[in-house]
Amino acid sequence: ADTMNFWIEREPSALRKTLERVNLLFVNDGEARQLAGEHNIVKAARAIRAMGPRRLVIKRGEYGALLFDEEHVFSCPAFPLQDVFDPTGAGDAFAGGFLGYLAHAAQLEHASLRQAMVVGSVMASFTVEQFSVERLRALTHREINERAASFKRLTHFEDLGEAALAR
């Protein structure tokens, strides 16, 4: 499910009833704080998950997104771009990429959810490059795969090793 401040403000009891049945919820960071009544995003996530959703994705715009589930928190950055033409729809493109990947993977394991976060971030990064859905209309599988490979290079690092931690 995805919610917005309208439902949080105007129909809180109906929203709470719905959240009891939700497996995965998408909200932006402002909505998470508003829904939970908590400023701290980690505390807000805990409060929202206590309302019912087993998994929660908090979209944080240019700062990426956070995935919370029973045992894990996963932070996925936004793909850094030099030029952002129009951020409208990036959150929806993120959710679409995320859910599209899960439909393809056909499983809800934590590893698949992490990969879905990356695909969501990749798709959102394309969306902001042009107005409306224009960039998505021209997008190719090759471009998606190339950006995903760039994303992997961007976020990968080697183990620090014991020597680095002993200092």
Side-chain angles (χ1 to χ4, degrees):
D2 194 349
T3 191
M4 57 189 289
N5 57 357
F6 172 84
W7 300 108
I8 297 167
E9 293 169 11
R10 304 256 168 86
E11 297 290 339
S13 60
L15 177 58
R16 296 277 176 126
K17 209 172 184 182
T18 301
L19 291 178
E20 292 173 4
R21 302 178 63 169
V22 170
N23 187 4
L24 171 65
L25 177 67
F26 291 91
V27 292
N28 68 36
D29 51 355
E31 293 162 344
R33 290 180 173 100
Q34 184 181 15
L35 178 59
E38 287 282 354
H39 181 74
N40 179 284
I41 206 72
V42 176
K43 289 180 181 179
R46 185 179 308 120
I48 293 168
R49 288 197 56 252
M51 296 174 195
R54 290 185 55 212
R55 297 168 184 94
L56 172 67
V57 174
I58 299 178
K59 301 174 289 182
R60 303 181 65 228
E62 67 182 301
Y63 303 109
L66 296 166
L67 167 67
F68 296 87
D69 66 17
E70 295 87 4
E71 301 174 16
H72 306 96
V73 177
F74 178 66
S75 178
C76 182
F79 191 83
L81 297 169
Q82 183 171 318
D83 297 312
V84 174
F85 184 79
D86 180 15
T88 306
D92 290 335
F94 175 92
F98 184 104
L99 293 171
Y101 180 81
L102 286 183
H104 174 73
Q107 58 180 326
L108 288 175
E109 302 301 320
H110 190 70
S112 297
L113 294 167
R114 286 177 176 237
Q115 291 166 327
M117 293 280 287
V118 171
V119 173
S121 187
V122 166
M123 296 309 295
S125 74
F126 284 115
T127 301
V128 304
E129 291 181 337
Q130 291 183 347
F131 182 71
S132 186
V133 296
E134 294 307 313
R135 180 65 176 105
L136 297 180
R137 286 183 182 172
L139 194 56
T140 67
H141 286 283
R142 181 178 178 184
E143 290 173 305
I144 294 169
N145 291 332
E146 287 173 355
R147 182 143 311 162
S150 295
F151 200 101
K152 184 175 181 178
R153 288 189 300 275
L154 170 74
T155 57
H156 179 79
F157 64 93
E158 301 300 329
D159 287 342
L160 299 178
E162 290 186 37
L165 299 175
R167 292 183 186 178

